[in-house]
Amino acid sequence: MNIHVDNHFHSDGGGGGESSSYDSATQVITHIVRDWSPLGRKVRMSLYDWCIDQLLKDHNKIKIHYGVRARILVPGAGLGRLAMDIYKAGFTVEANEISIVMSAAAHNFLHRQSEGFLCPFACDFPINEVNSDFRYDKVQYSDESSNDTQNTEKHSQSLSYTVGDFVDIYSSIEKKDQYESVVTCFFIDTASNIYEYIVVIKNALKSGGRWINVGPLQWHQNAILHPAGNELRSIIESMGFDIESWTVDDEVVNYRHDDSSEATRYTKYEGYKPLRFVAKLSSSHQFFNQEEVARETIIRLRKSINQKVKITVK
């Protein structure tokens, strides 16, 4: 498993849009519980397994007919569990993450160098607690069989992890038409401008490739646009994607872990009803000129937005 640190970082209205709180110790612990502990298993089954099921529906046909393993891009990879699970399902995976803190933690988990116990509930604000005795309950990590990971090393697929800004890296000509699928999980609402993310995803996908998404629409505080679900669907379709499926969950999925099998800890929970969709990139539609690199399109978008902001201020 290779990790590559790319030199593309910026903080001025770029695509990443993650706040500094994303790099906090509390966020790292939250992601450890969800991605690498038994407590997060039900959440992973709901979110990650669904993504893998969508990939298998489409790309098993490619492997059977052509003997080619599909190449999958996973932006906003965090601690890398989704990327690892897709890799174990038989795909070549490239994970991407802007946070150096998350990437450093992911390195240890992906190389099976982290195991132990955490007290994640001690990091929660002491409000809405049902019983203070639960506050220091321990959670074991890592919830991963090293034998399962070692078995995948005999196969021809690979897993790589690139550290850097998603928009800057994947809007380049080098990344154009490189991936059969892009999988976004709890990612698209981190966009400062959702149009940029869609342009980049379109740049990265091969013609006929699929974009698989699951997660909420809790737009980042610095987001320029805050489209509702129906508006987002219209934007995606207008930019050359055919929607194959589009649903919103009826049941709430907790962000960190599912507590249905344990004693009630809190009188309030943070949960979401994720938006799930699969969109296929049309081979006929062109949002930008064939000769134009996606990065140039993004520059045009940013200039247009800046001009509108100046006009509004005046």
Side-chain angles (χ1 to χ4, degrees), residues 126-224:
I127 56 175
N128 286 302
E129 289 183 295
V130 173
N131 189 333
S132 61
D133 293 339
F134 299 157
R135 190 179 301 163
Y136 300 102
D137 285 354
K138 293 181 179 180
V139 176
Q140 184 178 3
Y141 68 92
S142 150
D143 183 30
E144 166 71 14
S145 169
S146 59
N147 291 330
D148 289 344
T149 307
Q150 289 168 355
N151 288 338
T152 61
E153 294 174 358
K154 301 176 183 179
H155 301 160
S156 60
Q157 73 268 25
S158 65
L159 170 61
S160 60
Y161 193 110
T162 299
V163 186
D165 184 83
F166 170 66
V167 170
D168 281 352
I169 296 172
Y170 295 95
S171 61
S172 67
I173 190 65
E174 293 80 12
K175 296 297 184 179
K176 185 174 177 60
D177 303 329
Q178 292 297 307
Y179 306 92
E180 277 77 18
S181 284
V182 175
V183 178
T184 53
C185 180
F186 278 69
F187 176 69
I188 61 173
D189 55 357
T190 67
S192 296
N193 183 349
I194 188 59
Y195 278 98
E196 292 186 9
Y197 273 18
I198 300 173
V199 167
V200 175
I201 290 170
K202 184 169 182 177
N203 184 69
L205 279 173
K206 294 181 178 180
S207 178
R210 283 171 172 79
W211 174 11
I212 297 167
N213 175 81
V214 59
L217 297 179
Q218 184 170 303
W219 299 105
H220 188 267
Q221 59 184 359
N222 293 328
I224 298 169

Side-chain angles (χ1 to χ4, degrees), residues 4 10 13 17 21 30 35 56 70 75 85 96 117 132 138 164 167 169 177 182 218 220 225 262 277 286 311-312:
H4 170 63
H10 55 73
S21 64
T30 295
D35 278 12
L56 291 173
D85 287 351
N96 167 249
F117 292 88
S132 61
K138 293 181 179 180
V167 170
I169 296 172
D177 303 329
V182 175
Q218 184 170 303
H220 188 267
L225 303 172
E262 63 176 11
F277 67 76
Q286 292 185 8
I311 293 172
T312 302

Side-chain angles (χ1 to χ4, degrees), residues 125-132 264-270:
F125 287 113
I127 56 175
N128 286 302
E129 289 183 295
V130 173
N131 189 333
S132 61
T264 301
R265 293 181 180 276
Y266 303 105
T267 58
K268 179 182 179 181
Y269 282 86
E270 181 179 11

